[in-house]
Amino acid sequence: MKACIITLPSGKRTCPDVSSKRLSLLILSFLLLSTPFFCLYNYSFSPWRRDMELVYRRSSLPSSRAFGLVNQCDMFSGDWVPQVKAPYYTNETNCQIDDRQNCIKFGRPDTEFMKWRWKPSQCELPPFNATLFLELVRGKSLAFIGDSLARNQMQSLVCLLASAADPVDNSYTADPRFRLWFYAEYNFTLAIFWSVHLVKSEDADANIYPLTSQTLYLDEVDEIWANHIEKFNYVIISAGQWFLRPLVYYRKGKLIGCYACNKRKITGLSMYYGYQMAFRTSFRTLLNLENFKGTTFLRTISPQHYENGGWNTGGTCVRTRPIAKDEIRFEEYFLKLYSTQVAELIAADGKGKKRGLKFRILDPTDMMAERADGHPNHYAHGPGANFTNADCVHWCLPGPIDAWNEILLQVLQSEYNATSLMDKSTPPNQTNS
């Protein structure tokens, strides 16, 4: 039985075989555009995805392998393997877990979803070491920019670090969507900036557009994060599901079109266009910030796993074990979102080299496709929660999302090692540019 784990924005459950002829043309176009990048990066292509003839080739990505992880290992290609060890933390650990991801607290009866660990194919992924992480970021700062999945990863990280240090909440607002944690012993700042579209956005006029429509100013970055980001050493940026709803697009202060707004007199534009421009504007902002010297990571889009319906049509995620690779099928819209954000990262990386700025990728998309068992489903509650809708988007804490931060630790370790090696290779009477 094949599992079509990604639902359409409409909530419909279709998972057709993607046309080989059509996608072959798309692949050829993408390869031609990305050819210069192929010479720089070499990313393994997951065997279970070959039959889908994807619109991208992972050999075109700025991968973990290319950026010097342990033994040149691609950390994002591998398998989930059983483990007998207890998770790094529990829902009673002294850290902040959003009730909407606190699955054990709200009665999830099974625990097997916490008993799997990610194992890269080419090497070992060391267990998370909170003290090592904090030493690597001593005197530095790290910010997550994005939606509730960015918060999901940030809270996972805070809980993982709880075994070594307790942070002070130095948030500049009471709004829980914006948090700033300070680890005094390590002089380390960890922040989350809620920005679901990355660019300036607001509710669209409900008298004109569908009720859930959002207006996006595609050439204006969201100052919520842009005004605070310049001095951060590491930035992890992401966006996803919010681009599936009706969108109204503005550029240079003028209406240029909309997605799914059902207005005949307004130019119809795709959600991919808005997604592309949001990342383009965000990366351009980071490139143009005079004092920004940090490393930017794109965290690729995270899969949802609704089955037997969509998020608002009775879909659920009741599995208690990971999905087998040969069961998985992505839908075409999801692949296009993925390839769109990666293409913008590739472009930004090329421009960043001229300024000495690093653009990297955290690419958990493939590995999380197997973890349909890791979502809250109905075992989570939040303010004003709708208990009839299952949550098959976010990840239970503790849960498989902790692997993102295990890999993040290794990325930071490799960055530190590379910098140390460069410093050692510089003659004493010279400095790095």
Side-chain angles (χ1 to χ4, degrees):
M1 176 182 176
K2 305 292 184 183
C4 178
I5 63 171
I6 308 299
T7 62
L8 291 169
S10 63
K12 295 181 179 178
R13 300 286 306 154
T14 60
C15 193
D17 290 333
V18 181
S19 165
S20 297
K21 183 177 180 180
R22 181 184 175 196
L23 276 183
S24 294
L25 292 173
L26 287 171
I27 293 170
L28 180 59
S29 299
F30 193 79
L31 292 178
L32 289 173
L33 289 172
S34 305
T35 296
F37 213 75
F38 288 6
C39 300
L40 301 177
Y41 301 111
N42 181 23
Y43 203 127
S44 64
F45 184 48
S46 302
W48 62 274
R49 298 183 102 183
R50 290 190 184 115
D51 66 323
M52 299 189 66
E53 294 196 69
L54 303 185
V55 296
Y56 67 92
R57 295 285 298 196
R58 295 186 70 175
S59 56
S60 70
L61 307 189
S63 71
S64 58
R65 177 188 297 177
F67 291 144
L69 284 186
V70 180
N71 297 322
Q72 300 296 303
C73 174
D74 172 7
M75 286 282 174
F76 302 101
S77 179
D79 297 283
W80 292 95
V81 297
Q83 72 163 357
V84 296
K85 293 183 179 179
Y88 294 106
Y89 59 93
T90 73
N91 64 306
E92 295 183 352
T93 298
N94 184 27
C95 61
Q96 188 178 73
I97 299 178
D98 193 300
D99 278 351
R100 287 164 289 194
Q101 286 86 58
N102 202 334
C103 304
I104 299 301
K105 175 181 177 180
F106 290 101
R108 179 163 176 169
D110 64 298
T111 59
E112 190 173 357
F113 71 96
M114 296 185 289
K115 298 177 181 178
W116 297 84
R117 190 164 188 273
W118 181 250
K119 185 182 185 306
S121 300
Q122 304 162 343
C123 60
E124 292 296 324
L125 174 62
F128 189 87
N129 184 321
T131 301
L132 173 60
F133 188 101
L134 289 167
E135 287 294 348
L136 289 171
V137 294
R138 180 182 289 276
K140 299 183 183 297
S141 53
L142 185 155
F144 290 93
I145 304 170
D147 56 21
S148 50
L149 279 164
R151 181 181 65 220
N152 206 176
Q153 184 182 2
M154 183 274 291
Q155 291 186 346
S156 162
L157 181 56
V158 172
C159 289
L160 288 167
L161 296 175
S163 64
D166 293 323
V168 176
D169 187 348
N170 282 350
S171 305
Y172 59 88
T173 173
D175 189 335
R177 297 175 299 177
F178 306 93
R179 295 289 89 188
L180 195 152
W181 302 101
F182 181 62
Y183 292 79
E185 183 180 347
Y186 297 89
N187 190 25
F188 168 57
T189 297
L190 176 63
I192 174 73
F193 296 100
W194 171 271
S195 181
V196 298
H197 295 113
L198 306 179
V199 294
K200 178 182 175 181
S201 64
E202 61 188 14
D203 293 337
D205 189 338
N207 294 319
I208 302 176
Y209 302 104
L211 188 60
T212 59
S213 300
Q214 295 279 298
T215 295
L216 272 57
Y217 299 88
L218 297 175
D219 54 349
E220 300 180 44
V221 73
D222 187 354
E223 294 182 353
I224 287 290
W225 66 265
N227 287 348
H228 298 275
I229 212 68
E230 198 162 14
K231 294 184 179 180
F232 276 83
N233 300 101
Y234 303 105
V235 174
I236 302 176
I237 192 167
S238 58
Q241 307 298 333
W242 282 77
F243 284 83
L244 305 183
R245 60 181 62 197
L247 301 171
V248 181
Y249 298 140
Y250 277 74
R251 290 188 70 181
K252 297 182 179 180
K254 295 182 179 180
L255 175 66
I256 61 169
C258 66
Y259 163 66
C261 69
N262 302 319
K263 297 295 177 181
R264 294 182 180 179
K265 295 183 179 181
I266 300 178
T267 302
L269 295 170
S270 71
M271 62 177 167
Y272 314 113
Y273 175 75
Y275 200 59
Q276 176 190 55
M277 293 306 301
F279 277 106
R280 184 171 298 179
T281 297
S282 299
F283 291 146
R284 185 186 67 221
T285 297
L286 292 167
L287 286 164
N288 290 339
L289 285 173
E290 183 178 356
N291 295 317
F292 180 68
K293 308 297 181 184
T295 298
T296 301
F297 295 93
L298 166 68
R299 194 270 294 155
T300 59
I301 191 168
S302 174
Q304 55 183 349
H305 292 85
Y306 287 99
E307 297 187 80
N308 303 312
W311 72 272
N312 60 347
T313 57
T316 58
C317 39
V318 298
R319 297 181 184 238
T320 58
R321 294 174 59 87
I323 297 176
K325 283 182 168 65
D326 60 3
E327 287 188 70
I328 298 170
R329 291 294 182 272
F330 285 128
E331 292 192 21
E332 188 174 350
Y333 89 91
F334 185 85
L335 298 177
K336 285 185 178 180
L337 289 174
Y338 178 93
S339 61
T340 296
Q341 61 179 178
V342 169
E344 290 304 312
L345 178 68
I346 291 171
D349 182 66
K351 296 174 183 177
K353 285 181 171 60
K354 299 175 183 178
R355 267 207 58 199
L357 293 178
K358 298 177 183 178
F359 286 81
R360 303 294 192 246
I361 193 167
L362 292 174
D363 188 10
T365 302
D366 274 6
M367 58 189 281
M368 301 306 283
E370 301 175 46
R371 295 310 306 270
D373 59 322
H375 300 289
N377 195 26
H378 288 294
Y379 299 104
H381 301 289
N386 183 341
F387 302 119
T388 62
N389 291 342
D391 181 356
C392 304
V393 175
H394 301 93
W395 304 96
C396 292
L397 294 177
I401 195 173
D402 294 326
W404 299 10
N405 290 317
E406 288 182 309
I407 294 175
L408 175 61
L409 169 56
Q410 297 309 306
V411 173
L412 296 179
Q413 175 79 73
S414 69
E415 292 281 328
Y416 176 84
N417 291 343
T419 302
S420 298
L421 184 62
M422 185 179 298
D423 290 343
K424 290 178 181 178
S425 65
T426 303
N429 62 336
Q430 297 181 16
T431 58
N432 292 325
S433 58

